[in-house]
Amino acid sequence: MSKKTLVTTAIDYTNDVIHVGQAYEKILADCYARYERLRLGKENVGFVTGTDEHGTTNEKAAKERGITTKEHVDNISAEDRKQIDALGVTYDRWFRTTDEDHKKVASEFFKKSFEAGDIYKGTYEGLYCEGCEAYKTLTELNKAGQCSLHTTREIQKYEEENYFFKWSKYSDFLKELVSKETFVLPEGKRKAMLAFIENGIEDIPVTRPKYKLPWGITCPIDDEQVIYVWFDALINYYTFGSQNDLWNEDTKIVHFVGKDIARRHTLLWPAMLESAGYKVPDVVYVHGFLNLNGDKISKSKGNVIRPSELVEKYGVDAVRYYFLKYGPIVEDVNISVDHLEEVYNGELANGIGNTVARIAKLAERAELEFEFTEIENIADNPALHPLRDNLRTDRTIQEIWKVISALDKHVNEHEPWKITDEKKLNEVLTHEVNQIRLIAELVAPFIPDTAEKIRKQYGKKKISFGDSLFPRIEN
């Protein structure tokens, strides 16, 4: 079993500030990173997220704003960081691909692949989607000849001299890797990647001419070229991991990514690592998309919601809970503010909030003292197994809420408010108080602020009734 864990998310383009759909992945990864810290200790877990700042989309966005590209990416990266911080995401480094240490590592990585004989010069003739910053084949476009993810953008036709990566060379290696049932999760996404391999992998350009795209890392073997944004961006994980003793066989490396970039992370990135002679990731978890009220979240549709807007209205833990349970962990899902409020009142206010308050009131009225003992091996609790084994936050929350429901049932069956024998009352309430203490630890990776409030309230021998954890939303 691995002694350390490295948790990563995709890094977002800085063409605009991130919205809730992009932030979902960061909450997901943060929940898992928090769990791994419970299991291994904080010093043995690394967590990195950040911004992808090279490429044409960022350069064009800067021109539209009338500022330099550097000013633009600095601004958007800082704004993205505020959004992620609002969600209580506990990353160890806010990574930027414009950081000097990354430029150095990316250049060294490129040279290793070149020296392995896997990079050669050629001419690319084909299609390019600036929204994806990716080369496209006709089969990847819709009937209108558009990228299905960026239907408002015109597909570009390129003919230019580039350096190519021998991606096709690694087809057999990738097939064997993706055939492992634990490498790509969930199963449906793994099968999709195997199908892509079966259709044939072609070599891919990994540089762009500098005269066309000056905003990038200079190619270390040809200063008239810059490293292609994807080849540059993927290396961010290795830059962070290698600098923190987290890119080795003792470390479990887990990537969280959206389905639109699954191929880059499950097929291109492992091939790059194999070429350069480095360990490949252990797990790539591929999630679906969020739709808002039935529509894809996008700036052009005018339905963008920033994470901080939801946090300001509902609180960070309510937002985290909603997305961790009802987010697109397997398939695309539809969300709405109405549903969020329904979940808030039904599962948080009336659920955990009511149970914690109810038992605190009973404990206070009983005027008894409840000894506090540390809860050991919380990471091994069966309720957390879906997160531990399959990265399923939704199923884990369901298991934790079963514990809460069982506690409610215990209260209703034993009716401590009717017990007059002090010894019996102490026995019943001690069990119920200790279950609340356990629940606080179980929910900590998911709703950490709430867990801390419960710890403070129930961390003393004498327990007092306090403020509501989730005041009901009245319409």
Side-chain angles (χ1 to χ4, degrees), residues 68-119:
T68 68
T69 310
K70 180 66 165 63
E71 289 172 329
H72 170 77
V73 298
D74 284 350
N75 172 252
I76 299 297
S77 182
E79 289 300 316
D80 277 3
R81 188 170 186 172
K82 289 178 184 177
Q83 295 298 322
I84 297 305
D85 287 348
L87 292 164
V89 176
T90 53
Y91 51 84
D92 294 298
R93 174 173 172 178
W94 181 259
F95 200 97
R96 301 180 60 187
T97 54
T98 52
D99 290 340
E100 291 302 319
D101 63 340
H102 174 67
K103 292 179 185 178
K104 181 175 181 293
V105 172
S107 294
E108 291 171 349
F109 193 110
F110 189 100
K111 282 194 287 187
K112 277 185 173 290
S113 191
F114 175 73
E115 290 164 0
D118 290 339
I119 291 178

Side-chain angles (χ1 to χ4, degrees), residues 171-443:
S171 296
D172 290 342
F173 163 76
L174 292 169
K175 186 174 182 179
E176 183 179 353
L177 178 65
V178 179
S179 293
K180 298 177 182 177
E181 293 185 357
T182 56
F183 178 62
V184 180
L185 296 175
E187 177 66 7
K189 303 299 192 297
R190 187 181 73 86
K191 289 181 177 178
M193 295 305 102
L194 281 173
F196 183 81
I197 297 170
E198 291 294 337
N199 286 335
I201 292 177
E202 298 179 357
D203 294 352
I204 186 173
V206 289
T207 66
R208 297 283 315 277
K210 187 176 282 188
Y211 75 90
K212 285 189 175 180
L213 181 62
W215 184 248
I217 299 173
T218 299
C219 175
I221 61 170
D222 186 340
D223 60 12
E224 292 184 359
Q225 299 266 326
V226 296
I227 300 175
Y228 170 50
V229 61
W230 270 103
F231 201 93
D232 152 21
L234 287 165
I235 296 169
N236 93 87
Y237 309 126
Y238 175 76
T239 301
F240 174 79
S242 62
Q243 291 176 346
N244 293 276
D245 192 29
L246 289 168
W247 207 279
N248 51 53
E249 295 303 322
D250 286 337
T251 302
K252 181 180 181 181
I253 300 170
V254 181
H255 293 325
F256 288 90
V257 299
K259 67 178 185 179
D260 55 327
I261 55 175
R263 291 176 189 171
R264 306 294 179 190
H265 286 79
T266 61
L267 304 179
L268 177 58
W269 177 223
M272 289 167 56
L273 288 162
E274 183 72 3
S275 172
Y278 300 125
K279 169 188 165 75
V280 301
D282 296 278
V283 182
V284 182
Y285 194 97
V286 182
H287 62 80
F289 287 163
L290 282 173
N291 295 316
L292 180 63
N293 298 318
D295 285 327
K296 179 185 175 183
I297 300 173
S298 71
K299 187 178 179 181
S300 62
K301 290 182 179 291
N303 64 349
V304 167
I305 297 178
R306 307 295 179 202
S308 59
E309 295 170 4
L310 292 178
V311 170
E312 186 175 345
K313 185 170 183 180
Y314 302 106
V316 61
D317 279 3
V319 176
R320 287 175 64 99
Y321 177 89
Y322 181 67
F323 286 112
L324 289 171
K325 185 173 181 185
Y326 294 100
I329 189 75
V330 176
E331 303 294 346
D332 295 358
V333 299
N334 188 49
I335 64 163
S336 68
V337 169
D338 287 345
H339 187 224
L340 192 159
E341 291 185 353
E342 179 185 323
V343 169
Y344 179 103
N345 280 336
E347 299 179 28
L348 295 174
N350 292 346
I352 188 172
N354 182 63
T355 302
V356 169
R358 186 185 189 191
I359 293 172
K361 186 175 286 186
L362 290 168
E364 183 181 68
R365 286 178 178 173
E367 297 184 339
L368 297 172
E369 291 190 352
F370 303 93
E371 292 294 331
F372 185 85
T373 55
E374 292 293 329
I375 298 171
E376 297 181 357
N377 302 319
I378 188 66
D380 293 329
N381 190 285
L384 297 177
H385 286 182
L387 179 60
R388 181 194 69 183
D389 298 337
N390 298 302
L391 311 182
R392 292 293 297 269
T393 58
D394 55 338
R395 290 179 176 172
T396 309
I397 288 175
Q398 291 169 11
E399 292 302 312
I400 296 171
W401 254 245
K402 287 179 183 178
V403 177
I404 296 172
S405 295
L407 177 53
D408 280 333
K409 183 179 179 182
H410 187 275
V411 174
N412 292 335
E413 287 179 349
H414 289 81
E415 300 180 318
W417 56 89
K418 292 183 178 180
I419 300 174
T420 56
D421 180 83
E422 186 173 302
K423 184 179 179 181
K424 177 63 176 176
L425 179 61
N426 185 62
E427 179 186 319
V428 169
L429 284 178
T430 294
H431 169 79
E432 294 170 356
V433 165
N434 284 335
Q435 284 298 102
I436 290 291
R437 289 167 173 167
L438 171 65
I439 288 165
E441 302 310 312
L442 292 175
V443 302

